[in-house]
Amino acid sequence: MGWRERTHDETYSDTETEARLAAELPHWYLENGWIRRKYKTSGWKSTLMVVNTIGHLAEAAFHHPDLSVSYAFVIVKLMNHAAKGITNKDFELARKIEDVIQWQPGKTEGGSLTGTPDDPRFKYLKYD
């Protein structure tokens, strides 16, 4: 059964998880039963912006990651506790987090939004 055919609480094997991460979320990885991603920031204020953004997305989805927060990084860990493994819920929330945190309007789309200037005074996230 492919991942698109699964129910929302059906778990993936480690091999299936790694294959889907490689195909859809290359900066995420599987470790100890969790899918994980480390976002590097420029400091404490930036870290809090990332944490609050993830918090909003998680609450809206009603699927909550574990976070490790330090001065200049945030580690996101996702696993469906009720299903005791990785499910479509984890991949979908990871995708939404990735899309929002990595959004760079000046580089990815046209329009009036130019994005954060390429100037160290304004940098807050270290994009991949």
Side-chain angles (χ1 to χ4, degrees):
M1 181 184 300
W3 57 71
R4 298 185 200 315
E5 301 168 14
R6 294 178 191 271
T7 64
H8 65 276
D9 285 327
E10 191 173 349
T11 61
Y12 286 76
S13 70
D14 287 356
T15 302
E16 292 168 324
T17 298
E18 289 170 343
R20 186 162 177 191
L21 289 174
E24 297 178 16
L25 296 158
H27 297 288
W28 290 70
Y29 59 97
L30 178 66
E31 183 178 84
N32 298 325
W34 299 79
I35 60 171
R36 300 171 186 243
R37 170 75 150 102
K38 183 176 186 177
Y39 292 100
K40 296 176 183 176
T41 69
S42 64
W44 184 243
K45 289 187 284 184
S46 304
T47 295
L48 291 178
M49 289 171 49
V50 170
V51 167
N52 286 327
T53 300
I54 293 168
H56 167 73
L57 296 172
E59 194 59 27
F62 204 67
H63 187 54
H64 305 98
D66 282 13
L67 301 176
S68 297
V69 179
S70 189
Y71 176 79
F73 68 83
V74 177
I75 297 173
V76 182
K77 295 173 24 180
L78 283 162
M79 179 197 35
N80 187 324
H81 296 285
K84 297 180 174 67
I86 306 300
T87 67
N88 281 335
K89 288 180 179 182
D90 303 299
F91 285 109
E92 289 176 26
L93 184 54
R95 173 82 270 152
K96 181 55 75 176
I97 291 168
E98 189 73 4
D99 289 346
V100 173
I101 298 297
Q102 292 293 312
W103 183 50
Q104 297 180 69
K107 294 188 180 181
T108 60
E109 54 195 58
S112 299
L113 298 173
T114 58
T116 307
D118 191 18
D119 181 323
R121 295 174 299 160
F122 304 113
K123 289 289 184 188
Y124 74 96
L125 189 67
K126 297 180 181 175
Y127 293 103
D128 296 321

